[in-house]
């Protein structure tokens, strides 16, 4: 067995083997860090899923790109 797999990972307190096993099981909720529940994956509960939805609706998460309407504004400025 590889000795590095049994050494704690920096910052996590878990070994690489434990981290791989956790990822296989489903990982952790991105909101609160608890283990995920299959029904609400990748979250642990409906509550955390609703919190994440609220973040999207509030605009806290954004996909990078050109602002909507920027193309039309450039054309209008040239005219």
């Amino acid at each position: 067995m590889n000795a590095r797999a049994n050494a704690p990972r920096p910052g996590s307190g878990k070994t690489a083997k434990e981290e791989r096993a956790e990822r296989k099981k489903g990982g952790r909720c991105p909101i609160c860090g608890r283990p995920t529940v299959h029904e609400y994956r990748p979250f642990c509960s409906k509550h955390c899923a609703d919190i994440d939805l609220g973040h999207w609706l509030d605009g806290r998460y954004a996909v990078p790109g050109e602002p909507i309407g920027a193309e039309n504004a450039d054309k209008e400025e040239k005219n």
Side-chain angles (χ1 to χ4, degrees):
M1 180 169 276
N2 187 350
R4 289 179 60 190
N6 292 327
R9 305 276 293 179
S12 72
K14 296 179 183 177
T15 65
K17 189 174 183 179
E18 289 171 333
E19 286 181 0
R20 282 192 304 274
E22 188 173 285
R23 273 184 265 148
K24 269 188 176 178
K25 286 191 296 187
R28 298 254 174 213
C29 176
I31 301 297
C32 70
R34 287 189 225 140
T36 61
V37 173
H38 182 72
E39 183 178 353
Y40 300 108
R41 233 175 113 205
F43 307 102
C44 66
S45 65
K46 182 170 179 6
H47 177 74
C48 284
D50 289 344
I51 289 172
D52 185 70
L53 177 60
H55 289 176
W56 278 104
L57 296 175
D58 286 343
R60 293 184 195 175
Y61 301 143
V63 178
E66 293 286 325
I68 296 175
E71 185 178 300
N72 293 335
D74 290 340
K75 287 179 184 177
E76 289 176 13
E77 288 177 9
K78 290 179 183 178
N79 290 332

